[in-house]
């Protein structure tokens, strides 16, 4: 049996017009009264690309693993060396710490230095001028450490380093080493002398790190205040012994060493990849050989402006 479909009459043209006319009128009224409605929907349809959210994420910064202040003790007139050191520290492998490198000297007294140092400060903002007469072993290191708690009372560091302008530091290796060490009572550097009893040991003046709590102790200690003249590195170690400070002494041998000249000694050898510090870079040639070993200029891009072998 074949089932036949029922037939229905087709709607007339007038009937269709009656049905569509109200819909067309509604659309026209909507477009006239709410002309920006379609723009608003388009703007809110894709929240992943909204500018405010992108700006917020750009402002989020990862807190550094450590905060380290490196004080390079130098003289006001050593402009060429400061420029070289700035360049050397400006091209370093990335690391996860916050490291500030500051040049440290006592009161500036020469007329030419007053103007030129002022220009340096305006350009680089990396100089600390202590209230003292310029000296090497007459208390400059004590003045440096004891002044820091007042200078940085609003945002103290985890560690403070004293170093010289003939020392080259590999900042990534230094930061990676400090991350594994205590944040309190730390006394880090190249332990000197190589032999002898531990009671005689101190960290070489080429560069040593102390934790912030020891910096604060130095600033208030009568032991340090009353005995701050003499070989500064030896005196610093003596402060902790005489003051009864139980410090964690960490010997960075062989990663910290003097520039090599025969014969080999416990603190003098050839360059090594894990270097933290190289000391006694007394002239530009030694700096050049050191920087060349660590491939500091590998990032130089070819250009028509220059040609270097």
């Amino acid at each position: 049996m074949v089932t036949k479909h029922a037939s229905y009459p087709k709607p007339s043209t007038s009937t269709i017009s009656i049905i569509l006319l109200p819909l067309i009128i509604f659309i026209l009224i909507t477009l006239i009264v709410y002309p920006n409605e379609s723009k608003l929907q388009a703007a809110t349809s894709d929240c992943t690309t909204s500018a405010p959210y992108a700006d917020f994420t750009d402002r989020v910064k990862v807190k550094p693993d450590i905060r380290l202040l490196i004080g390079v003790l130098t003289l006001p007139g050593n402009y060429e060396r400061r420029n070289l050191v700035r360049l050397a520290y400006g091209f370093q492998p990335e690391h996860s710490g916050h490291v500030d490198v500051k040049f440290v000297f006592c009161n500036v007294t020469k007329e030419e230095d007053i103007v030129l140092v002022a220009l340096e400060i305006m350009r680089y903002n990396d100089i600390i001028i202590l209230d003292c007469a310029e000296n090497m072993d007459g208390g400059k290191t004590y003045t440096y450490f004891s002044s820091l708690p007042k200078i940085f009372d609003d945002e103290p560091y985890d560690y403070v380093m004293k170093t010289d302008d003939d020392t080259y530091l590999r900042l990534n290796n230094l930061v990676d080493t400090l991350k594994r060490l205590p944040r309190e009572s730390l006394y880090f550097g190249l332990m000197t002398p190589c032999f002898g009893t531990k009671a005689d040991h101190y960290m070489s003046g080429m560069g040593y790190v102390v934790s912030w709590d020891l910096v604060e102790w130095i600033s208030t200690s009568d032991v340090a205040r009353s005995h701050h003249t003499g070989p500064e590195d030896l005196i610093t170690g003596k402060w902790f012994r005489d003051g009864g400070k139980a410090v964690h002494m960490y010997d960075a041998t062989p990663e910290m060493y003097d520039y090599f000249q025969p014969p080999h000694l416990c603190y003098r050898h050839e360059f090594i990849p894990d270097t933290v510090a190289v000391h006694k870079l007394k002239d530009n040639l030694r700096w050049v050989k050191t920087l060349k070993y660590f491939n500091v200029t590998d990032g130089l891009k070819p250009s028509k402006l220059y040609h270097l072998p």
Side-chain angles (χ1 to χ4, degrees):
M1 178 182 294
V2 178
T3 304
K4 294 183 178 180
H5 294 285
S7 61
Y8 299 95
K10 294 182 179 180
S12 64
T13 303
S14 59
T15 303
I16 295 174
S17 300
I18 293 173
I19 295 173
L20 293 179
L21 182 61
L23 179 59
I24 294 172
I25 294 173
F26 174 76
I27 293 174
L28 290 174
I29 293 174
T30 301
L31 291 175
I32 294 171
V33 177
Y34 302 106
N36 295 323
E37 181 68 19
S38 59
K39 295 180 181 178
L40 177 63
Q41 291 177 356
T44 57
S45 63
D46 188 5
C47 63
T48 61
T49 59
S50 62
Y53 180 79
D55 290 343
F56 174 77
T57 56
D58 288 342
R59 291 195 298 268
V60 174
K61 304 295 182 183
V62 178
K63 185 178 180 181
D65 291 335
I66 63 169
R67 283 174 47 81
L68 169 65
L69 171 65
I70 299 176
V72 182
L73 272 61
T74 184
L75 298 174
N78 288 1
Y79 304 104
E80 181 183 358
R81 178 56 56 87
R82 282 197 293 279
N83 185 55
L84 174 56
V85 172
R86 286 189 185 104
L87 289 173
Y89 290 145
F91 295 94
Q92 294 252 1
E94 292 185 1
H95 55 79
S96 59
H98 176 99
V99 179
D100 290 327
V101 179
K102 304 286 188 182
F103 297 97
V104 182
F105 37 82
C106 293
N107 292 322
V108 181
T109 57
K110 292 183 179 181
E111 182 179 0
E112 62 270 29
D113 289 339
I114 292 173
V115 174
L116 296 177
V117 167
L119 289 175
E120 281 188 275
I121 294 173
M122 293 168 64
R123 176 62 180 88
Y124 301 108
N125 193 29
D126 61 356
I127 289 176
I128 297 175
I129 302 177
L130 305 173
D131 187 13
C132 56
E134 195 58 63
N135 67 89
M136 178 181 293
D137 293 324
K140 182 176 180 178
T141 297
Y142 168 76
T143 306
Y144 165 59
F145 282 126
S146 62
S147 301
L148 295 180
K150 290 183 180 179
I151 296 175
F152 299 106
D153 58 343
D154 56 337
E155 195 171 7
Y157 291 86
D158 296 308
Y159 304 105
V160 172
M161 186 174 202
K162 175 269 163 187
T163 189
D164 297 328
D165 63 6
D166 64 340
T167 298
Y168 174 59
L169 299 169
R170 297 291 288 171
L171 299 182
N172 59 327
N173 290 339
L174 176 60
V175 168
D176 287 345
T177 301
L178 291 176
K179 283 162 52 177
R180 304 190 296 266
L181 301 180
R183 296 292 175 95
E184 294 184 351
S185 299
L186 179 69
Y187 183 29
F188 166 93
L190 172 64
M191 192 173 290
T192 306
C194 300
F195 308 101
T197 63
K198 191 172 183 178
D200 298 329
H201 287 160
Y202 57 92
M203 299 304 177
S204 167
M206 66 183 291
Y208 52 88
V209 176
V210 296
S211 52
W212 186 256
D213 61 303
L214 292 181
V215 174
E216 292 180 317
W217 177 82
I218 292 171
S219 70
T220 60
S221 169
D222 290 334
V223 173
R225 186 182 303 109
S226 60
H227 188 193
H228 57 256
T229 59
E232 59 88 14
D233 48 3
L234 186 151
I235 292 298
T236 301
K238 196 173 188 310
W239 290 340
F240 301 140
R241 291 194 300 272
D242 293 351
K245 296 298 293 182
V247 297
H248 301 289
M249 296 184 69
Y250 185 92
D251 183 16
T253 304
E255 289 83 11
M256 298 179 72
Y257 53 91
D258 283 351
Y259 185 91
F260 179 64
Q261 281 187 315
H264 284 87
L265 297 173
C266 57
Y267 55 86
R268 189 167 64 207
H269 53 77
E270 292 90 347
F271 299 122
I272 59 174
D274 294 334
T275 294
V276 169
V278 184
H279 183 221
K280 292 195 175 179
L281 304 182
K282 299 295 185 181
D283 55 50
N284 286 350
L285 183 58
R286 289 190 176 190
W287 275 95
V288 165
K289 290 184 176 180
T290 302
L291 297 175
K292 187 175 181 180
Y293 173 82
F294 292 106
N295 301 316
V296 173
T297 60
D298 275 6
L300 182 67
K301 297 179 180 179
S303 172
K304 296 179 180 180
L305 298 175
Y306 50 77
H307 56 279
L308 291 171

